[in-house]
Amino acid sequence: MSFQSQRVGAEIASDSEEAPLSGVKVVDLTQFESGPAATQLMAWLGADVIKVEPPRGDPSRSLAGGTDNRDSILFGLLNQGKRSIVLNLKQEEERRVLFQLLESADVLCENFAPGTLGRLGLAPEFLRERFPHLVVASIRGYAPGGPWADWKSFDFVAQAVAGAISVTGEPDRPPVRIGPTVADSGAGAQLAVGILAALMRRHRTGEGGTVSISLQDAMLNLMRNAMGPMYVSGEPSERFGDAYAPSAPSGLHPCSPGGPNDYVYVLLGHRRHWDALLRAIEREDLIGDPRYVRQSLRNAKVDEVRAIVSDWTSRHDKHTAMERISAEGVPCGATLDTRELLSNPQLLESGMMGAQSIPGWGEPVVPGCPLIIDGCRMAAGSPPSLDADGPRLRRVETQGAGK
């Protein structure tokens, strides 16, 4: 298996031995998003990830855009660079193939519903006893020990029970969920950190172990900032829509020509940003104006100061507005829609977005590995077709078992 890395802005070079996780073998029983997000990170970094799938495949293969002739694009985005083998783990003979894979594996990763591993004869206690070197990593909806531990969950449910939905939306309207599936991919990213920590410990002790995370806990870990106002006031944190309440006129400002995503987000994070913003929007006449000179005064005139900024942004397209405001040192971002991401020069030239071969989809421009190590961004491999590596893996493992 070849893992290349792309030096940001320059040449493409390296082989599998240069990948940080070269030599690490992961047996991946996960499906949908949370678990595959964890193993995707490890595959990007050079681990040999073997995706063990049921006879009909990971259910995510049939999601958005999936047909009888191609897998869904979601499967393609979350399973780059992995290998695939089909095993019916309800059958003893097929479980023996899994056990042969685990003999030489470093990690087993799964995100089944509570109790499923035990029903398959793969309880963590059994795995630890039979494979003491193995790190067993799991994702659940809720952590063990609580009254909800046996309940199922998905991303949007986790957003609700971790408080994220309660702080998202407009103050005078019902709460809304966050657009990205933050709980799923967030749990996967945090689990990957736990797996690497367990592997580091094994390096010292020679013993594997278990690592687990729940969707609720992972989402709650991302809620620390949003919980801050509650600790100050003693009341539940409020919804503020797009505004950043402590720092008016921070928030979304409309741009020309007025399309559904023609906005910039401006964030004043330092006392010098107000004067810099006024220079950017050609309102130097307001620098030092006693009505706005302090943040507390601006916060008391939210609508007024937002109107000052929006009057200027509405006469410029969002890219021009972002460029001029950013040039003055004020954090500002154009609201890019998902199609605009495909042609964004920052993402393309830095290597975060690029063409990737995905069976049935050609070579679409897709996100890659977000990590840059020693100036290199690890290149993504293509996702596997169902059981693409099954015959070879069965042959290799059977030969190994016979020695």
Side-chain angles (χ1 to χ4, degrees), residues 51-349:
K51 189 172 181 68
V52 177
E53 303 187 65
R56 298 183 67 177
D58 180 336
S60 71
R61 287 183 182 269
S62 62
L63 296 179
T67 68
D68 291 339
N69 300 315
R70 70 178 184 184
D71 296 321
S72 75
I73 190 64
L74 298 179
F75 178 86
L77 294 175
L78 286 162
N79 292 280
Q80 299 168 354
K82 301 178 184 179
R83 298 196 280 170
S84 171
I85 180 174
V86 166
L87 294 176
N88 185 348
L89 298 179
K90 296 178 181 179
Q91 298 180 2
E92 183 176 353
E93 182 178 348
E94 298 282 77
R95 286 199 299 274
R96 283 201 292 267
V97 177
L98 175 67
F99 294 155
Q100 290 162 10
L101 289 170
L102 293 178
E103 289 287 354
S104 58
D106 300 287
V107 179
L108 170 69
C109 192
E110 58 88 20
N111 64 340
F112 292 127
T116 301
L117 271 187
R119 290 193 295 272
L120 292 173
L122 300 171
E125 299 79 13
F126 164 78
L127 293 172
R128 286 202 64 183
E129 181 177 353
R130 180 158 180 174
F131 308 102
H133 67 285
L134 191 66
V135 172
V136 180
S138 304
I139 296 181
R140 297 285 181 267
Y142 302 96
W148 301 350
D150 293 333
W151 294 355
K152 297 179 181 178
S153 182
F154 283 100
D155 182 282
F156 305 148
V157 175
Q159 290 186 28
V161 297
I165 289 180
S166 77
V167 296
T168 305
E170 298 295 330
D172 57 347
R173 296 180 63 84
V176 297
R177 68 171 176 85
I178 303 169
T181 44
V182 180
D184 273 350
S185 279
Q190 293 173 63
L191 183 69
V193 174
I195 291 170
L196 297 179
L199 290 175
M200 286 294 293
R201 185 183 65 180
R202 191 188 69 175
H203 179 70
R204 297 194 310 269
T205 67
E207 295 290 326
T210 61
V211 182
S212 66
I213 193 169
S214 74
L215 297 181
Q216 184 188 32
D217 293 359
M219 191 69 231
L220 182 62
N221 187 41
L222 304 177
M223 279 287 295
R224 298 169 190 270
N225 190 290
M227 294 174 70
M230 178 266 298
Y231 289 108
V232 174
S233 69
E235 298 296 326
S237 298
E238 300 178 52
R239 293 187 289 280
F240 292 103
D242 67 271
Y244 180 53
S247 186
S250 295
L252 285 172
H253 294 272
C255 295
S256 175
N261 291 297
D262 285 325
Y263 294 87
V264 288
Y265 198 100
V266 179
L267 181 60
L268 276 64
H270 191 279
R271 58 185 178 84
R272 291 195 295 266
H273 285 166
W274 172 246
D275 288 355
L277 178 61
L278 292 176
R279 288 192 293 271
I281 65 173
E282 304 170 277
R283 289 303 307 269
E284 291 93 338
D285 59 298
L286 295 179
I287 294 176
D289 189 310
R291 294 173 297 172
Y292 314 121
V293 72
R294 292 197 305 273
Q295 186 63 63
S296 59
L297 295 171
R298 296 192 292 273
N299 289 347
K301 300 179 175 67
V302 175
D303 293 341
E304 190 174 321
V305 292
R306 283 180 66 94
I308 292 170
V309 179
S310 294
D311 176 67
W312 182 87
T313 60
S314 64
R315 291 181 276 113
H316 299 79
D317 69 80
K318 61 188 177 183
H319 300 289
T320 299
M322 177 182 176
E323 181 179 350
R324 292 193 185 178
I325 295 173
S326 296
E328 292 291 341
V330 179
C332 176
T335 301
L336 303 181
D337 64 39
T338 53
R339 188 165 58 183
E340 287 175 309
L341 296 175
L342 304 184
S343 58
N344 179 254
Q346 169 62 34
L347 295 172
L348 291 171
E349 293 175 27

